Amino acid sequence: MKPTRIRRALGSASLNWFSIVAGLIVWEAIARRLPHIVLPPPSIVLVRLVEDTLSGKLIVALLGSLEALALGLALAIVVGVPLGFAFGRSRTFADMFDPVLNALYAIPPVAFVPFLIIWFGLHLPARVALVFLMSVFEITVAVTAGARDVNPTQIDVGRSFGARRMDLARKVIFPAALPFIFTGFRIGLVRAINATITAELFFAAINLGALMNDDARRFDTAGLLSVIVLLSLLGLAAQAALRRLEARVLPWHIRAAA
Amino acid sequence: MLRLAGLAIALGIWELAGRRLGDALLAPPSVVVRQFVPQLFDGSVLPVLAGSLREMSIGFVLAYALGVPAGVLMARSKTVDALFGPWLSMGIVTSIAALVPLFILMFGTGFSFRVAIVFFATVWFVALTVFQGARGIEPRWLEVGRAFGAGPLQSFSKIMLPALYPSLLVGARIGLIHAIRAMVVAETFVVVGYGALIHNSGLSVSTAPLLGLLLLLMLIGIGVTWALRRVSSLIAPWYEDRRSL
């Protein structure tokens, strides 16, 4: 890296930190004038976050939440990736079912909750179903974009070297679409985290959702905020981890952070 | 033709599955239409929907009015980008459902709560979309303008604004989809407005009214998308929106 670029990167990173610190100071200053039920200062939220993490309360709840998250996301990947390839590689299939996909996607996921209760009850299967519903579309769309954008020249080269359909799919199209599959996982994972807490609040309250419900009943705004902050940090960390994994697995394709 | 065939196949599968499973599990489309259409015009659905959409649009307009300038500023200035960036990425990943119990403590369950939820769910996505669009404005275009003697005002209204049109519309579309979702989340949680209709119809014996309400929401989403695409092709015909959703 050239020195100017390092300086620029440093500048933007330190501005990021400055912005975070400044935002927290403003929040603290405003919150000190308000009742803590309305807006607790970040210092209290931070203390709560650390206390509840050390006491294991948050960790136990979080581990419990992971079950529905993992199952729902796995299902969404198993369905979304092949579906995305079908949409991306077959013109006919895309023309036929694109309107159906768009129509289903236009329905707000939470509106399905009463329906999911009828089908799956109030517990784990219902939560898995909501996580699946909320992440499968995003994965399908990202994979579709990837499978559609494979450079036709690469396919022609493969074909002229005698590759068969299966070879083409495995050795040309799949690697070329991998970055988009990663994008799909990344967006899908964040959506799945959101879906998990949504399910825990809208079906029978459990894990982190139960913690939030208890906090809400006790008017414990700091407790609520500590769970929300934990979830958002988790989402950001998951995104960063997948980006790093992508750079590792696909070193030929490091894109600028979008 | 193919698009119609796809929809017909989906409807056919739904109809067959619905007849097999019965109305309590999955009412077939024929039953949904027969039961829901009269309900639609007896005054128990449409006024409620209009009320919910009115509140939703207030939250959306506020979010749009703030999100657009924020996105443009972030794209034009590295400093603003570095300042807003962390909060934007935090806002994007934050779950709206998780905010609902918090906002209830802060705002109660009334009008301001619902507007606040919609605002908070929407503003980040508007800002991000406009930011991505405005970043694509090439400095060359502005230089050409300057070379032809355009002042700052002219170069904004004649070069930057037209280049922004498409992303302003894509931002509106994505923002509205998130606004409608947030409206449903907030209303279903506190059982009010259209969300209350959805919640209560979940308790009825037949799934037909529930599916009818879902279809109505779907039509609104599709209508909004279609209308904004039309506007986009009218005022920015050079721009082809390639995102399928």
Side-chain angles (χ1 to χ4, degrees):
Chain A
M1 275 210 288
K2 286 182 200 149
T4 50
R5 212 190 278 166
I6 293 173
R7 208 178 307 140
R8 203 176 298 149
L10 252 180
S12 130
S14 55
L15 265 180
N16 281 342
W17 285 110
F18 167 77
S19 158
I20 293 170
V21 172
L24 290 177
I25 290 173
V26 171
W27 174 3
E28 181 88 30
I30 295 174
R32 293 230 165 145
R33 291 154 191 271
L34 292 169
H36 285 181
I37 290 183
V38 178
L39 186 69
S43 50
I44 291 185
V45 176
L46 190 70
V47 169
R48 272 301 289 274
L49 194 59
V50 172
E51 270 177 7
D52 289 351
T53 308
L54 290 181
S55 76
K57 197 168 115 186
L58 274 177
I59 294 175
V60 170
L62 189 62
L63 288 178
S65 299
L66 287 183
E67 191 183 11
L69 175 83
L71 287 173
L73 185 61
L75 270 178
I77 289 172
V78 167
V79 173
V81 172
L83 203 60
F85 271 98
F87 270 108
R89 295 313 307 169
S90 157
R91 218 23 219 278
T92 324
F93 189 81
D95 279 345
M96 275 176 86
F97 293 106
D98 200 39
V100 179
L101 188 75
N102 278 316
L104 286 174
Y105 184 76
I107 302 174
V110 168
F112 282 109
V113 161
F115 197 67
L116 296 178
I117 292 177
I118 295 170
W119 276 67
F120 300 105
L122 286 166
H123 301 285
L124 185 67
R127 295 201 298 277
V128 172
L130 189 67
V131 173
F132 169 78
L133 257 183
M134 279 178 71
S135 45
V136 71
F137 291 113
E138 319 280 339
I139 294 174
T140 308
V141 170
V143 175
T144 302
R148 192 176 284 156
D149 281 3
V150 177
N151 188 346
T153 323
Q154 292 177 352
I155 296 177
D156 285 345
V157 170
R159 211 172 271 147
S160 61
F161 276 96
R164 290 159 195 277
R165 272 184 85 100
M166 270 322 285
D167 291 332
L168 274 180
R170 230 184 40 227
K171 295 188 179 147
V172 180
I173 297 170
F174 184 72
L178 256 180
F180 290 85
I181 295 180
F182 259 96
T183 309
F185 286 176
R186 210 174 59 223
I187 302 171
L189 180 57
V190 172
R191 289 284 286 164
I193 294 174
N194 285 353
T196 307
I197 187 66
T198 309
E200 289 177 357
L201 286 165
F202 278 80
F203 300 113
I206 189 173
N207 303 328
L208 289 172
L211 280 188
M212 293 193 78
N213 258 0
D214 290 345
D215 290 340
R217 253 195 299 273
R218 281 186 276 118
F219 299 104
D220 181 0
T221 318
L224 284 176
L225 263 170
S226 67
V227 178
I228 295 171
V229 169
L230 175 74
L231 280 169
S232 298
L233 291 179
L234 196 70
L236 288 177
Q239 255 183 343
L242 271 182
R243 279 229 177 84
R244 189 154 296 178
L245 187 69
E246 182 178 348
R248 266 245 162 117
V249 180
L250 314 167
W252 70 89
H253 187 102
I254 301 168
R255 278 173 305 155
Chain B
M1 267 320 281
L2 278 175
R3 329 198 96 219
L4 288 178
L7 282 176
I9 292 173
L11 278 176
I13 294 174
W14 178 9
E15 180 76 36
L16 282 179
R19 294 211 174 152
R20 267 277 169 88
L21 295 166
D23 289 0
L25 280 179
L26 181 74
S30 52
V31 177
V32 172
V33 169
R34 211 162 46 231
Q35 284 192 17
F36 189 67
V37 168
Q39 204 189 343
L40 194 59
F41 294 108
D42 71 3
S44 63
V45 174
L46 289 180
V48 179
L49 177 65
S52 294
L53 287 180
R54 203 176 311 127
E55 288 184 5
M56 187 272 298
S57 8
I58 295 172
F60 168 75
V61 167
L62 289 175
Y64 197 71
L66 203 79
V68 168
V72 173
L73 281 177
M74 279 178 74
R76 302 311 305 168
S77 148
K78 279 244 152 54
T79 315
V80 179
D81 181 18
L83 285 177
F84 286 8
W87 299 98
L88 181 65
S89 21
M90 189 92 174
I92 291 269
V93 300
T94 298
S95 155
I96 288 310
L99 286 175
V100 166
L102 176 75
F103 277 30
I104 288 177
L105 287 189
M106 294 168 116
F107 299 101
T109 56
F111 174 77
S112 50
F113 155 70
R114 298 191 293 268
V115 171
I117 283 282
V118 170
F119 173 83
F120 210 85
T122 311
V123 66
W124 315 107
F125 288 94
V126 173
L128 182 68
T129 315
V130 173
F131 165 67
Q132 284 166 347
R135 211 174 34 175
I137 297 177
E138 294 206 20
R140 271 187 310 164
W141 303 344
L142 296 173
E143 277 162 28
V144 170
R146 218 170 293 138
F148 279 95
L153 205 71
Q154 258 186 322
S155 83
F156 177 79
S157 69
K158 296 254 167 77
I159 302 171
M160 277 186 63
L161 207 57
L164 274 178
Y165 283 155
S167 47
L168 292 182
L169 289 161
V170 178
R173 202 180 74 224
I174 293 174
L176 267 173
I177 288 178
H178 284 275
I180 293 174
R181 284 186 191 167
M183 169 191 100
V184 172
V185 169
E187 290 189 346
T188 315
F189 197 82
V190 298
V191 192
V192 65
Y194 198 78
L197 292 182
I198 293 178
H199 179 265
N200 296 337
S201 69
L203 308 174
S204 81
V205 197
S206 162
T207 49
L210 176 61
L211 289 170
L213 292 169
L214 293 190
L215 283 182
L216 190 55
L217 276 181
M218 182 188 93
L219 290 178
I220 292 171
I222 293 176
V224 162
T225 307
W226 180 82
L228 283 170
R229 280 228 171 97
R230 281 311 296 255
V231 176
S232 171
S233 68
L234 281 178
I235 70 168
W238 62 88
Y239 178 82
E240 189 199 357
D241 189 355
R242 281 189 311 172
R243 292 175 63 150
S244 78
L245 293 172

